[in-house]
Amino acid sequence: MLEEVVTVLRGVYDRVAFRIVRSADLLEGPSAGNPIGTASTWPIELEGRRIGEVEVGPASGEDDAFMRRVATIVAPYCKRSQ
């Protein structure tokens, strides 16, 4: 599922990356694009606990609400991949 989200978001952003929390470490998940330039990161939370993050770049302030919604939608899939 996260790979498909990366593919869709890549149509909008130059860089897309998911990181998943495992054993208190933040590990690289599915990603695409070069980490060149500025990127913004949003936390992925489930049941009040941070379980990962999503990074896109370049992003603007107008992307905040959209990316917060993306983080909410993908949260159950990040939990399953743990």
Side-chain angles (χ1 to χ4, degrees):
M1 167 66 175
L2 294 179
E3 293 84 3
E4 289 88 354
V5 175
V6 168
T7 300
V8 170
L9 291 176
R10 245 328 239 138
V12 179
Y13 301 101
D14 294 336
R15 165 78 174 157
V16 180
F18 283 98
R19 295 179 192 89
I20 309 298
V21 174
R22 289 211 178 85
S23 302
D25 292 323
L26 197 56
L27 304 178
E28 289 294 322
S31 65
N34 294 325
I36 298 173
T38 59
S40 299
T41 304
W42 287 265
I44 299 172
E45 298 176 339
L46 189 64
E47 300 170 356
R49 195 169 49 98
R50 184 173 181 221
I51 60 169
E53 66 184 27
V54 57
E55 174 187 274
V56 298
S60 70
E62 296 174 4
D63 295 307
D64 187 61
F66 172 65
M67 290 308 303
R68 287 184 187 279
R69 183 69 181 135
V70 168
T72 299
I73 291 168
V74 302
Y77 301 98
C78 294
K79 175 96 171 141
R80 285 187 198 141
S81 67
Q82 291 184 338

